[in-house]
Amino acid sequence: MELREPAVAYGRQKFTIEEYLAMEEAAVEKHEYYRGEIFAMSGSKVPHNRISGNVYAVLHQKLKGKKCRPYNSDQRIHIESNTLFTYPDISVVCGEYATLNNDNWNILNPVVLIEVLSPSTKNYDRGEKFMLYRDIPTLKEYILIDSEHVHIETFRLNGAHRWELEEYNSLEDQLHIKAVNEVIAVTEIYDGVRLGE
């Protein structure tokens, strides 16, 4: 998703977290929050939604009955150390989920985050957003899936606490999500997707 200009309808630029959460609970559209500013989130094209749905469906099936569970883009994630509230396309939590003040809304402890890249969001998702996500103490894997071409970037935290990149560029590949010990065929990820749209 994309950070846009702060929603003009709110009238002023800086909000407290409490004000944001109250507005978001009543809002029809989703918004991100960062350091007092509220940003409207853009809608997504069909290929983006198809990929996101495919990955969620496969992960939901593979993780059924196991300790890790996937969540779709309706699940809000909060990073306490940098104030970001956001809605990743897919997040995975292992064990019990933790939420902000036990509010049952804002998950704090994802192990895997997955973003489907759109032309307007890919630079943000690869750059600033990844920097913000790295402040999550539990995060072990960050996966970026291109919605225009067969291209997947997986960033994994290694034993030395450094992020390593592995890329997948073929429909014959198998995406390894090591944090949850699962493999997804790239063909399943792009199933039914008309690329280049």
Side-chain angles (χ1 to χ4, degrees):
M1 291 297 174
E2 181 175 12
L3 285 188
R4 300 259 178 167
E5 290 301 310
V8 179
Y10 294 143
R12 58 178 225 254
Q13 289 190 315
K14 295 291 183 181
F15 296 87
T16 66
I17 285 174
E18 291 73 25
E19 288 172 325
Y20 161 73
L21 292 174
M23 288 188 288
E24 196 69 351
E25 193 167 341
V28 175
E29 297 175 340
K30 294 185 285 193
H31 303 83
E32 293 188 336
Y33 174 97
Y34 181 59
R35 292 187 176 171
E37 292 186 284
I38 294 173
F39 302 88
M41 297 181 71
S42 60
S44 303
K45 288 185 175 181
V46 172
H48 179 289
N49 294 332
R50 190 76 185 244
I51 291 167
S52 183
N54 287 346
V55 175
Y56 176 79
V58 173
L59 274 177
H60 185 269
Q61 190 60 39
K62 285 181 176 285
L63 295 174
K64 205 166 190 178
K66 299 182 180 176
K67 66 172 188 170
C68 300
R69 300 296 293 168
Y71 295 85
N72 64 23
S73 62
D74 285 331
Q75 181 58 60
R76 191 163 59 228
I77 300 292
H78 176 49
I79 307 170
E80 292 183 287
S81 64
N82 62 35
T83 78
L84 181 68
F85 287 85
T86 187
Y87 296 84
D89 289 312
I90 298 167
S91 51
V92 180
V93 175
C94 294
E96 289 297 317
Y97 62 83
T99 58
L100 178 65
N101 302 320
N102 296 315
D103 64 4
N104 227 25
W105 281 95
N106 302 285
I107 283 182
L108 305 174
N109 61 330
V111 173
V112 179
L113 292 174
I114 301 172
E115 296 284 9
V116 179
L117 302 178
S118 300
S120 60
T121 65
K122 60 185 174 185
N123 290 334
Y124 171 58
D125 287 338
R126 279 199 188 101
E128 186 180 357
K129 196 168 202 179
F130 185 27
M131 286 181 64
L132 295 172
Y133 280 165
R134 292 200 297 264
D135 285 340
I136 301 171
T138 53
L139 187 66
K140 292 184 169 132
E141 213 154 340
Y142 181 47
I143 300 169
L144 299 168
I145 303 172
D146 199 307
S147 64
E148 296 184 298
H149 313 282
V150 177
H151 182 66
I152 300 169
E153 299 163 275
T154 299
F155 294 90
R156 295 189 193 93
L157 202 56
N158 67 20
H161 293 283
R162 295 176 198 264
W163 290 93
E164 294 180 340
L165 169 64
E166 184 171 358
E167 297 181 86
Y168 304 86
N169 296 299
S170 168
L171 289 172
E172 312 304 316
D173 286 339
Q174 302 278 323
L175 170 63
H176 292 259
I177 307 179
K178 293 188 178 177
V180 295
N181 196 29
E182 293 293 346
V183 176
I184 302 177
V186 172
T187 52
E188 289 188 277
I189 293 169
Y190 287 98
D191 181 50
V193 177
R194 296 202 299 248
L195 295 170
E197 294 186 354

Tab-separated table of all heavy atoms in Angstrom, residues 13-51:
chain	number	residue	atom	x	y	z
A	13	GLN	N	-2.657	18.577	10.833
A	13	GLN	CA	-1.640	17.611	10.424
A	13	GLN	C	-1.214	16.623	11.499
A	13	GLN	O	-0.839	15.518	11.180
A	13	GLN	CB	-0.418	18.352	9.902
A	13	GLN	CG	-0.684	19.010	8.558
A	13	GLN	CD	0.589	19.532	7.942
A	13	GLN	OE1	1.387	20.144	8.616
A	13	GLN	NE2	0.779	19.293	6.664
A	14	LYS	N	-1.205	17.010	12.760
A	14	LYS	CA	-0.653	16.137	13.797
A	14	LYS	C	-1.758	15.575	14.686
A	14	LYS	O	-2.646	16.301	15.142
A	14	LYS	CB	0.354	16.899	14.666
A	14	LYS	CG	1.584	17.348	13.907
A	14	LYS	CD	2.466	16.179	13.507
A	14	LYS	CE	3.721	16.670	12.805
A	14	LYS	NZ	4.596	15.578	12.390
A	15	PHE	N	-1.684	14.277	14.914
A	15	PHE	CA	-2.669	13.590	15.749
A	15	PHE	C	-1.939	12.710	16.754
A	15	PHE	O	-0.848	12.214	16.484
A	15	PHE	CB	-3.588	12.702	14.896
A	15	PHE	CG	-4.433	13.457	13.915
A	15	PHE	CD1	-3.945	13.765	12.653
A	15	PHE	CD2	-5.705	13.869	14.251
A	15	PHE	CE1	-4.716	14.467	11.744
A	15	PHE	CE2	-6.492	14.569	13.343
A	15	PHE	CZ	-5.988	14.867	12.088
A	16	THR	N	-2.567	12.485	17.887
A	16	THR	CA	-2.030	11.512	18.838
A	16	THR	C	-2.412	10.114	18.366
A	16	THR	O	-3.334	9.939	17.541
A	16	THR	CB	-2.600	11.726	20.252
A	16	THR	OG1	-4.008	11.429	20.216
A	16	THR	CG2	-2.363	13.146	20.743
A	17	ILE	N	-1.737	9.115	18.884
A	17	ILE	CA	-2.082	7.728	18.556
A	17	ILE	C	-3.524	7.443	18.963
A	17	ILE	O	-4.275	6.793	18.227
A	17	ILE	CB	-1.106	6.760	19.247
A	17	ILE	CG1	0.246	6.785	18.507
A	17	ILE	CG2	-1.669	5.344	19.305
A	17	ILE	CD1	1.346	5.975	19.169
A	18	GLU	N	-3.935	7.952	20.109
A	18	GLU	CA	-5.303	7.713	20.584
A	18	GLU	C	-6.332	8.308	19.622
A	18	GLU	O	-7.371	7.691	19.348
A	18	GLU	CB	-5.481	8.321	21.991
A	18	GLU	CG	-4.705	7.613	23.098
A	18	GLU	CD	-3.198	7.864	23.043
A	18	GLU	OE1	-2.767	8.904	22.486
A	18	GLU	OE2	-2.453	7.006	23.551
A	19	GLU	N	-6.049	9.510	19.121
A	19	GLU	CA	-6.958	10.134	18.145
A	19	GLU	C	-7.015	9.314	16.862
A	19	GLU	O	-8.098	9.095	16.300
A	19	GLU	CB	-6.495	11.558	17.831
A	19	GLU	CG	-6.731	12.539	18.965
A	19	GLU	CD	-6.088	13.887	18.707
A	19	GLU	OE1	-4.992	13.927	18.082
A	19	GLU	OE2	-6.663	14.894	19.136
A	20	TYR	N	-5.863	8.868	16.398
A	20	TYR	CA	-5.816	8.036	15.181
A	20	TYR	C	-6.642	6.771	15.360
A	20	TYR	O	-7.461	6.426	14.498
A	20	TYR	CB	-4.374	7.674	14.832
A	20	TYR	CG	-4.248	6.490	13.908
A	20	TYR	CD1	-4.569	6.585	12.552
A	20	TYR	CD2	-3.830	5.245	14.389
A	20	TYR	CE1	-4.478	5.492	11.706
A	20	TYR	CE2	-3.728	4.155	13.545
A	20	TYR	CZ	-4.055	4.275	12.211
A	20	TYR	OH	-3.968	3.178	11.381
A	21	LEU	N	-6.434	6.067	16.465
A	21	LEU	CA	-7.147	4.802	16.681
A	21	LEU	C	-8.650	5.018	16.761
A	21	LEU	O	-9.428	4.214	16.243
A	21	LEU	CB	-6.626	4.118	17.943
A	21	LEU	CG	-5.178	3.595	17.857
A	21	LEU	CD1	-4.718	3.069	19.205
A	21	LEU	CD2	-5.048	2.526	16.783
A	22	ALA	N	-9.076	6.095	17.380
A	22	ALA	CA	-10.516	6.389	17.468
A	22	ALA	C	-11.086	6.674	16.088
A	22	ALA	O	-12.174	6.195	15.735
A	22	ALA	CB	-10.746	7.580	18.401
A	23	MET	N	-10.357	7.453	15.280
A	23	MET	CA	-10.832	7.752	13.921
A	23	MET	C	-10.835	6.507	13.048
A	23	MET	O	-11.752	6.291	12.261
A	23	MET	CB	-9.968	8.846	13.291
A	23	MET	CG	-10.215	10.213	13.885
A	23	MET	SD	-9.373	11.530	12.986
A	23	MET	CE	-7.686	11.237	13.459
A	24	GLU	N	-9.818	5.675	13.200
A	24	GLU	CA	-9.706	4.484	12.359
A	24	GLU	C	-10.821	3.489	12.663
A	24	GLU	O	-11.324	2.810	11.778
A	24	GLU	CB	-8.324	3.848	12.553
A	24	GLU	CG	-7.930	2.864	11.486
A	24	GLU	CD	-7.668	3.482	10.121
A	24	GLU	OE1	-7.934	4.687	9.896
A	24	GLU	OE2	-7.197	2.738	9.255
A	25	GLU	N	-11.201	3.422	13.926
A	25	GLU	CA	-12.285	2.507	14.302
A	25	GLU	C	-13.594	2.895	13.639
A	25	GLU	O	-14.408	2.038	13.298
A	25	GLU	CB	-12.451	2.494	15.836
A	25	GLU	CG	-13.311	1.357	16.324
A	25	GLU	CD	-13.214	1.162	17.827
A	25	GLU	OE1	-12.255	1.632	18.449
A	25	GLU	OE2	-14.130	0.513	18.369
A	26	ALA	N	-13.794	4.190	13.400
A	26	ALA	CA	-15.034	4.667	12.781
A	26	ALA	C	-14.921	4.823	11.267
A	26	ALA	O	-15.921	5.023	10.587
A	26	ALA	CB	-15.422	6.001	13.399
A	27	ALA	N	-13.700	4.716	10.724
A	27	ALA	CA	-13.481	4.999	9.304
A	27	ALA	C	-13.943	3.857	8.410
A	27	ALA	O	-13.921	2.688	8.797
A	27	ALA	CB	-11.997	5.272	9.057
A	28	VAL	N	-14.354	4.205	7.194
A	28	VAL	CA	-14.703	3.209	6.186
A	28	VAL	C	-13.441	2.761	5.445
A	28	VAL	O	-13.262	1.587	5.150
A	28	VAL	CB	-15.736	3.795	5.190
A	28	VAL	CG1	-16.021	2.813	4.074
A	28	VAL	CG2	-17.014	4.179	5.913
A	29	GLU	N	-12.563	3.710	5.145
A	29	GLU	CA	-11.307	3.400	4.464
A	29	GLU	C	-10.188	3.244	5.488
A	29	GLU	O	-10.279	3.754	6.602
A	29	GLU	CB	-10.952	4.536	3.489
A	29	GLU	CG	-11.972	4.714	2.394
A	29	GLU	CD	-11.669	5.923	1.519
A	29	GLU	OE1	-10.915	6.807	1.974
A	29	GLU	OE2	-12.178	5.969	0.397
A	30	LYS	N	-9.115	2.544	5.071
A	30	LYS	CA	-7.979	2.326	5.955
A	30	LYS	C	-6.958	3.452	5.816
A	30	LYS	O	-6.787	4.009	4.733
A	30	LYS	CB	-7.308	0.980	5.650
A	30	LYS	CG	-8.196	-0.208	5.975
A	30	LYS	CD	-7.489	-1.523	5.793
A	30	LYS	CE	-7.343	-1.880	4.354
A	30	LYS	NZ	-6.938	-3.271	4.133
A	31	HIS	N	-6.301	3.749	6.928
A	31	HIS	CA	-5.270	4.778	6.957
A	31	HIS	C	-4.058	4.264	7.732
A	31	HIS	O	-4.206	3.515	8.696
A	31	HIS	CB	-5.778	6.055	7.633
A	31	HIS	CG	-6.995	6.631	6.998
A	31	HIS	ND1	-8.265	6.177	7.287
A	31	HIS	CD2	-7.136	7.608	6.066
A	31	HIS	CE1	-9.138	6.863	6.569
A	31	HIS	NE2	-8.483	7.732	5.822
A	32	GLU	N	-2.882	4.699	7.319
A	32	GLU	CA	-1.672	4.436	8.076
A	32	GLU	C	-1.376	5.652	8.956
A	32	GLU	O	-1.839	6.762	8.680
A	32	GLU	CB	-0.483	4.178	7.144
A	32	GLU	CG	-0.626	2.896	6.363
A	32	GLU	CD	0.637	2.526	5.583
A	32	GLU	OE1	1.441	3.433	5.273
A	32	GLU	OE2	0.818	1.333	5.308
A	33	TYR	N	-0.600	5.409	10.012
A	33	TYR	CA	-0.213	6.477	10.933
A	33	TYR	C	1.281	6.418	11.135
A	33	TYR	O	1.851	5.331	11.320
A	33	TYR	CB	-0.932	6.273	12.271
A	33	TYR	CG	-0.517	7.239	13.372
A	33	TYR	CD1	-1.266	8.381	13.632
A	33	TYR	CD2	0.609	6.989	14.159
A	33	TYR	CE1	-0.900	9.267	14.647
A	33	TYR	CE2	0.984	7.870	15.170
A	33	TYR	CZ	0.226	8.998	15.415
A	33	TYR	OH	0.596	9.863	16.414
A	34	TYR	N	1.931	7.584	11.104
A	34	TYR	CA	3.363	7.635	11.378
A	34	TYR	C	3.731	9.003	11.928
A	34	TYR	O	3.511	10.019	11.281
A	34	TYR	CB	4.165	7.348	10.094
A	34	TYR	CG	5.665	7.351	10.288
A	34	TYR	CD1	6.262	6.479	11.191
A	34	TYR	CD2	6.464	8.223	9.567
A	34	TYR	CE1	7.631	6.475	11.366
A	34	TYR	CE2	7.844	8.219	9.740
A	34	TYR	CZ	8.425	7.344	10.642
A	34	TYR	OH	9.786	7.338	10.827
A	35	ARG	N	4.232	8.999	13.147
A	35	ARG	CA	4.715	10.212	13.814
A	35	ARG	C	3.721	11.372	13.746
A	35	ARG	O	4.065	12.489	13.364
A	35	ARG	CB	6.065	10.623	13.249
A	35	ARG	CG	7.153	9.632	13.622
A	35	ARG	CD	8.518	10.095	13.232
A	35	ARG	NE	9.518	9.143	13.715
A	35	ARG	CZ	10.797	9.176	13.392
A	35	ARG	NH1	11.249	10.107	12.576
A	35	ARG	NH2	11.638	8.286	13.869
A	36	GLY	N	2.484	11.077	14.076
A	36	GLY	CA	1.475	12.121	14.171
A	36	GLY	C	0.704	12.410	12.905
A	36	GLY	O	-0.297	13.125	12.926
A	37	GLU	N	1.158	11.851	11.788
A	37	GLU	CA	0.466	12.092	10.521
A	37	GLU	C	-0.347	10.868	10.118
A	37	GLU	O	0.055	9.728	10.348
A	37	GLU	CB	1.469	12.438	9.425
A	37	GLU	CG	2.143	13.783	9.644
A	37	GLU	CD	3.020	14.160	8.470
A	37	GLU	OE1	4.118	13.589	8.356
A	37	GLU	OE2	2.595	15.004	7.663
A	38	ILE	N	-1.475	11.132	9.473
A	38	ILE	CA	-2.375	10.071	9.017
A	38	ILE	C	-2.397	10.093	7.491
A	38	ILE	O	-2.529	11.151	6.875
A	38	ILE	CB	-3.793	10.272	9.586
A	38	ILE	CG1	-3.758	10.095	11.113
A	38	ILE	CG2	-4.778	9.294	8.946
A	38	ILE	CD1	-5.059	10.422	11.805
A	39	PHE	N	-2.246	8.904	6.891
A	39	PHE	CA	-2.144	8.794	5.439
A	39	PHE	C	-3.229	7.863	4.910
A	39	PHE	O	-3.388	6.747	5.410
A	39	PHE	CB	-0.775	8.220	5.052
A	39	PHE	CG	0.385	9.034	5.559
A	39	PHE	CD1	0.924	8.808	6.815
A	39	PHE	CD2	0.941	10.030	4.770
A	39	PHE	CE1	1.993	9.557	7.285
A	39	PHE	CE2	2.010	10.784	5.227
A	39	PHE	CZ	2.539	10.549	6.490
A	40	ALA	N	-3.956	8.323	3.900
A	40	ALA	CA	-4.960	7.482	3.256
A	40	ALA	C	-4.255	6.410	2.433
A	40	ALA	O	-3.213	6.663	1.828
A	40	ALA	CB	-5.853	8.323	2.353
A	41	MET	N	-4.808	5.210	2.426
A	41	MET	CA	-4.233	4.111	1.658
A	41	MET	C	-4.974	3.966	0.340
A	41	MET	O	-6.194	4.083	0.276
A	41	MET	CB	-4.298	2.814	2.460
A	41	MET	CG	-3.464	2.883	3.734
A	41	MET	SD	-3.513	1.349	4.676
A	41	MET	CE	-2.539	0.299	3.631
A	42	SER	N	-4.202	3.703	-0.711
A	42	SER	CA	-4.803	3.591	-2.036
A	42	SER	C	-5.379	2.203	-2.262
A	42	SER	O	-4.986	1.244	-1.599
A	42	SER	CB	-3.753	3.890	-3.105
A	42	SER	OG	-2.691	2.966	-2.998
A	43	GLY	N	-6.300	2.093	-3.214
A	43	GLY	CA	-6.821	0.792	-3.601
A	43	GLY	C	-5.815	0.045	-4.464
A	43	GLY	O	-4.781	0.580	-4.852
A	44	SER	N	-6.109	-1.211	-4.767
A	44	SER	CA	-5.172	-2.052	-5.512
A	44	SER	C	-5.810	-2.580	-6.784
A	44	SER	O	-7.018	-2.794	-6.852
A	44	SER	CB	-4.748	-3.240	-4.653
A	44	SER	OG	-4.189	-2.798	-3.445
A	45	LYS	N	-4.967	-2.841	-7.795
A	45	LYS	CA	-5.424	-3.446	-9.045
A	45	LYS	C	-5.675	-4.937	-8.858
A	45	LYS	O	-5.222	-5.549	-7.880
A	45	LYS	CB	-4.382	-3.236	-10.137
A	45	LYS	CG	-4.280	-1.816	-10.655
A	45	LYS	CD	-3.293	-1.764	-11.809
A	45	LYS	CE	-3.248	-0.387	-12.435
A	45	LYS	NZ	-2.305	-0.351	-13.577
A	46	VAL	N	-6.348	-5.520	-9.837
A	46	VAL	CA	-6.696	-6.943	-9.780
A	46	VAL	C	-5.467	-7.842	-9.599
A	46	VAL	O	-5.488	-8.747	-8.748
A	46	VAL	CB	-7.519	-7.362	-11.018
A	46	VAL	CG1	-7.719	-8.877	-11.055
A	46	VAL	CG2	-8.861	-6.652	-11.025
A	47	PRO	N	-4.367	-7.661	-10.368
A	47	PRO	CA	-3.214	-8.568	-10.170
A	47	PRO	C	-2.689	-8.545	-8.737
A	47	PRO	O	-2.363	-9.602	-8.174
A	47	PRO	CB	-2.172	-8.039	-11.158
A	47	PRO	CG	-2.977	-7.380	-12.233
A	47	PRO	CD	-4.144	-6.757	-11.513
A	48	HIS	N	-2.630	-7.367	-8.141
A	48	HIS	CA	-2.183	-7.233	-6.755
A	48	HIS	C	-3.088	-8.040	-5.829
A	48	HIS	O	-2.618	-8.819	-4.986
A	48	HIS	CB	-2.195	-5.750	-6.372
A	48	HIS	CG	-1.774	-5.453	-4.970
A	48	HIS	ND1	-2.542	-5.770	-3.879
A	48	HIS	CD2	-0.655	-4.856	-4.486
A	48	HIS	CE1	-1.922	-5.379	-2.781
A	48	HIS	NE2	-0.778	-4.832	-3.119
A	49	ASN	N	-4.385	-7.865	-5.981
A	49	ASN	CA	-5.341	-8.553	-5.107
A	49	ASN	C	-5.326	-10.061	-5.323
A	49	ASN	O	-5.482	-10.842	-4.373
A	49	ASN	CB	-6.749	-7.996	-5.330
A	49	ASN	CG	-6.858	-6.553	-4.881
A	49	ASN	OD1	-6.147	-6.110	-3.988
A	49	ASN	ND2	-7.742	-5.804	-5.524
A	50	ARG	N	-5.147	-10.463	-6.587
A	50	ARG	CA	-5.112	-11.898	-6.885
A	50	ARG	C	-3.901	-12.561	-6.229
A	50	ARG	O	-4.012	-13.618	-5.617
A	50	ARG	CB	-5.064	-12.079	-8.416
A	50	ARG	CG	-5.268	-13.500	-8.893
A	50	ARG	CD	-6.744	-13.879	-8.805
A	50	ARG	NE	-6.935	-15.263	-9.136
A	50	ARG	CZ	-7.635	-15.682	-10.183
A	50	ARG	NH1	-8.206	-14.826	-11.000
A	50	ARG	NH2	-7.805	-16.971	-10.409
A	51	ILE	N	-2.737	-11.919	-6.362
A	51	ILE	CA	-1.517	-12.467	-5.757
A	51	ILE	C	-1.655	-12.544	-4.249
A	51	ILE	O	-1.354	-13.568	-3.627
A	51	ILE	CB	-0.290	-11.611	-6.153
A	51	ILE	CG1	0.018	-11.791	-7.640
A	51	ILE	CG2	0.934	-11.973	-5.312
A	51	ILE	CD1	0.999	-10.773	-8.196
